[in-house]
Amino acid sequence: MEPLLQMAWEVAREGVVVHAEGRVVYLNPVAAQLLEVERDKVLGRSLLLALRDHKLEALCRVGGEATLETRNRTLWIKAVPGVLLLWDKTEELQRAEALEESSRVLAHEFRTPVAGMLSLLEALQNGLSESEAQEALQMLYQETHRLRRLVEDLPLNRRPSQNRTFALEELQGRLERFLAPQLAQKSAWIRWQIPHTVWANPDAVYQALLNLLDNAIKYGTGSEIVVESGQNNQGVWLEVRNQGQPLADFERLFIAGQRGMHAANVRGTGLGLALVRRLAAGWGGTAYGRALEDGNAFGLTFPIGAGATPDHSATQVPA
């Protein structure tokens, strides 16, 4: 029976450490890998020197179960007299965290358009002229189809790239109409200067620009928001600029869950800019922020491709 047990331990997916009188008498390949030790060098050594972790050594002495962070891994450990069992939970926890992050991002991605759709429905319910009602219904139709495309493009059902060449000006009317209630509430307006053509997924650019404009309306202190595009040797850039206190640290804001000091009194999740950067990466671009003399600018870049050609006389990305 003993040779069969040792053979089973050798091929087990869990780590197995056998000890007696405070010294290691056996460990299987998985345990050696998880503990980052060489089997032949730790046999016969004391538990503390072999395991190189006082928490593991203490668990061997007192018994029980625990989850420990060691060797850049998350291990679930069970100690019974003479045996220490190790399960690597690192990948499982990473998958759970990734799923939770995806859920938060998706919730954020749907929140803004759904809020806009609710505003349109409330306007319809309160009564609009026939022409205004037709326009509101058309916008609801467009947003419903865009949300359907977002659902169809989830990672579990990935479709081929929807990138195409299109003029940025195509997005202007939809965005202005959709953000009209928020702009009216803040007595704000948007000045557009976006004559360029890019190669990207129009829905992704729409969503990224919607998030940037939503932030500008929420956190800006002036009435005018500027949306401007330009081109340099690397491709096209697109910026949303608003007045307000210049920020000092922009990179931190692109990390999920991080928010600026100016956002303390405004409801939010801190996912908007992280989502914008992820969307930009999808078309091969980037997302960035920079301080202005009297405000801030958040922008997107589009690499040279089917929709952009080098123009050495064009405006450079603002420094």
Side-chain angles (χ1 to χ4, degrees):
M1 179 65 72
E2 189 171 320
L4 290 175
L5 283 175
Q6 185 164 341
M7 185 183 302
W9 289 344
E10 286 291 304
V11 298
R13 297 177 61 185
E14 297 79 19
V16 180
V17 179
V18 180
H19 56 92
E21 299 179 355
R23 294 186 177 276
V24 174
V25 297
Y26 170 82
L27 75 164
N28 69 349
V30 173
Q33 179 185 4
L34 295 178
L35 297 173
E36 299 179 357
V37 299
E38 297 182 33
R39 297 173 72 185
D40 57 342
K41 292 185 178 180
V42 298
L43 292 177
R45 303 194 72 182
S46 69
L47 283 170
L48 185 57
L49 292 176
L51 301 177
R52 296 182 297 163
D53 189 307
H54 71 278
K55 293 180 180 178
L56 288 176
E57 186 269 341
L59 200 61
C60 287
R61 287 189 286 104
V62 302
E65 302 177 4
T67 299
L68 298 179
E69 299 284 341
T70 182
R71 278 81 160 178
N72 295 318
R73 300 175 186 272
T74 302
L75 302 180
W76 186 79
I77 302 157
K78 183 173 183 177
V80 295
V83 179
L84 185 70
L85 302 175
L86 310 165
W87 285 267
D88 189 354
K89 296 290 186 178
T90 308
E91 289 188 7
E92 181 181 331
L93 290 174
Q94 289 175 343
R95 285 195 297 269
E97 290 172 1
L99 182 61
E100 184 178 350
E101 174 67 12
S102 296
S103 298
R104 289 198 298 267
V105 168
L106 285 171
H108 184 282
E109 192 163 353
F110 280 95
R111 185 175 293 113
T112 301
V114 168
M117 293 170 74
L118 284 173
S119 297
L120 290 171
L121 289 170
E122 288 173 0
L124 285 168
Q125 192 174 38
N126 292 334
L128 295 173
S129 67
E130 185 175 347
S131 61
E132 290 174 331
Q134 286 300 317
E135 183 178 2
L137 287 171
Q138 181 63 25
M139 290 175 62
L140 284 168
Y141 180 81
Q142 291 174 344
E143 288 303 308
T144 301
H145 275 270
R146 190 173 71 84
L147 290 176
R148 185 187 69 179
R149 289 193 295 270
L150 286 175
V151 172
E152 291 173 345
D153 199 38
L154 294 179
L156 293 179
N157 188 21
R158 183 66 67 192
R159 288 165 38 163
S161 171
Q162 301 297 306
N163 289 356
R164 65 174 176 86
T165 301
F166 72 99
L168 292 171
E169 291 175 335
E170 290 182 19
L171 307 178
Q172 178 177 335
R174 287 175 59 198
L175 285 164
E176 267 199 332
R177 290 192 297 270
F178 196 73
L179 291 169
Q182 291 173 253
L183 289 166
Q185 188 176 16
K186 292 289 291 284
S187 298
W189 65 87
I190 302 173
R191 177 160 59 89
W192 302 85
Q193 297 175 327
I194 50 171
H196 293 83
T197 297
V198 297
W199 171 259
N201 182 337
D203 283 339
V205 180
Y206 178 94
Q207 182 66 48
L209 198 50
L210 180 63
N211 284 354
L212 294 182
L213 286 167
D214 185 56
N215 282 351
I217 296 170
K218 285 180 182 176
Y219 307 127
T221 57
S223 297
E224 183 177 73
I225 299 167
V226 177
V227 182
E228 182 178 350
S229 66
Q231 189 172 338
N232 61 18
N233 293 337
Q234 286 73 50
V236 172
W237 52 265
L238 173 65
E239 282 193 345
V240 174
R241 302 170 188 162
N242 64 276
Q243 296 176 347
Q245 182 179 354
L247 300 172
D249 184 2
F250 287 91
E251 277 305 301
R252 185 177 65 84
L253 300 178
F254 287 94
I255 301 173
Q258 297 294 320
R259 305 181 71 206
M261 294 293 293
H262 64 297
N265 298 320
V266 181
R267 183 181 177 184
T269 61
L271 290 172
L273 290 177
L275 174 60
V276 166
R277 177 161 285 181
R278 194 167 83 166
L279 289 168
W283 64 71
T286 59
Y288 64 90
R290 66 187 186 92
L292 305 174
E293 184 177 347
D294 59 349
N296 299 282
F298 287 89
L300 307 165
T301 65
F302 303 84
I304 293 173
T309 55
D311 181 355
H312 298 282
S313 66
T315 308
Q316 301 292 300
V317 173

